[in-house]
Amino acid sequence: MSDGDAELMDAACALLKRVYVEGRHEVVAAMRLADGSIQLGVHVDGSARRSAVCAEGVAAGNAIAHAADGSPMAVVSIVSVLRRAEGTLHIIEPCGVCAELITDYWPEARVWVTAADRLTAVAATELLPAKRLRRW
Ligand SMILES: [Zn+2]
């Protein structure tokens, strides 16, 4: 893992330690943008399951809002960290909905996942190998 990606992970873990609430804020996503900045997002759960918002979606909105002129800015690296109730931290892959979102906007992004108990980076497109590109 590069120093930049380690910093990304540290940022996610630091925020998660600060905002964690069991059942409400259990995941933080961090995105490294092409300008080097880090944009973070916190999972926001709700009493109605469909009202929940994933950390990746919040981070994606922050990444888009970060561009002062509204032009899309590339996301080069993404990490999502889950805190379990016992306090352990785990790198997780984005859910299917977030994988769709990420590949819609940043298919070239590097996404950190845990596969076979090993931390590894994959291209966002590898999260959805059969994704169909839609015009929208
Ligand atoms: Zn998600």
Side-chain angles (χ1 to χ4, degrees):
M1 177 178 287
S2 69
D3 289 347
D5 283 350
E7 180 188 32
L8 195 64
M9 193 170 311
D10 288 347
C13 291
L15 178 57
L16 187 53
K17 287 177 183 173
R18 193 161 47 87
V19 301
Y20 173 82
V21 176
E22 184 177 356
R24 293 193 177 189
H25 314 300
E26 298 179 341
V27 178
V28 165
M31 296 183 170
R32 169 82 65 192
L33 275 56
D35 69 353
S37 68
I38 294 174
Q39 299 299 317
L40 300 168
V42 176
H43 152 237
V44 182
D45 215 328
S47 62
R49 294 295 302 160
R50 291 193 59 172
S51 65
V53 180
C54 291
E56 295 87 345
V58 176
N62 286 333
I64 292 167
H66 175 72
D69 63 359
S71 62
M73 184 176 293
V75 170
V76 297
S77 188
I78 301 170
V79 64
S80 302
V81 181
L82 164 73
R83 179 178 166 176
R84 296 199 190 282
E86 63 270 20
T88 57
L89 299 177
H90 306 270
I91 306 304
I92 59 170
E93 67 182 66
C95 74
V97 172
C98 290
E100 288 278 356
L101 182 69
I102 290 166
T103 54
D104 281 345
Y105 285 87
W106 307 291
E108 306 301 323
R110 179 176 57 254
V111 182
W112 286 94
V113 300
T114 301
D117 293 330
R118 294 192 56 203
L119 192 58
T120 188
V122 300
T125 53
E126 293 179 66
L127 299 172
L128 297 171
K131 177 182 174 105
R132 293 179 188 258
L133 293 178
R134 293 181 295 272
R135 185 178 298 194
W136 54 282

